[in-house]
Amino acid sequence: IVLTICNVVEKTMSQQCPSERSISGWMLQRHIYKTMLADIGLHCLLSCSTDNRCQSFNFVMSSHTCEFSDRTKEATPEDFIRDTEDIISENVSNEVS
């Protein structure tokens, strides 16, 4: 299931959304450098898009927590795992080659 948080940003804030891709039911483990509480994934997206270190984030729906990562699923596919409580979103504008 692909979830696009970006559409919510554009509709609620009348701003162009930062580039991102979201996948429900998956997370990236072992690369979290910061966490924060958030009511919705939109807050994670906005915080990640302004943080140069943030490459992706997990939004844990049950605890309303953002887990910011300095890697992406493409960079570390072995750490990309199924987790029904999470949504992973990559900040394409901050990706490092």
Side-chain angles (χ1 to χ4, degrees):
I1 299 171
V2 175
L3 172 72
T4 304
I5 298 170
C6 190
N7 291 338
V8 176
V9 173
E10 290 175 347
K11 290 177 183 173
T12 60
M13 300 183 69
S14 300
Q15 295 179 350
Q16 185 174 5
C17 185
S19 298
E20 58 84 32
R21 296 181 293 257
S22 301
I23 304 170
S24 181
W26 291 82
M27 71 170 290
L28 188 66
Q29 63 179 359
R30 295 193 198 119
H31 301 285
I32 298 165
Y33 67 91
K34 175 174 78 172
T35 61
M36 116 180 164
L37 292 176
D39 293 333
I40 56 174
L42 171 61
H43 297 140
C44 304
L45 174 63
L46 294 173
S47 292
C48 183
S49 69
T50 60
D51 182 341
N52 289 335
R53 187 173 175 191
C54 186
Q55 299 296 306
S56 65
F57 64 87
N58 303 316
F59 178 60
V60 186
M61 294 179 286
S62 62
S63 62
H64 298 276
T65 304
C66 306
E67 299 174 335
F68 298 97
S69 299
D70 55 8
R71 295 288 182 272
T72 64
K73 63 180 175 44
E74 289 81 13
T76 56
E78 66 278 7
D79 294 329
F80 185 55
I81 62 168
R82 284 197 79 40
D83 187 319
T84 58
E85 287 295 314
D86 284 305
I87 298 171
I88 183 172
S89 185
E90 294 181 352
N91 186 3
V92 178
S93 61
N94 283 347
E95 280 186 8
V96 176
S97 303

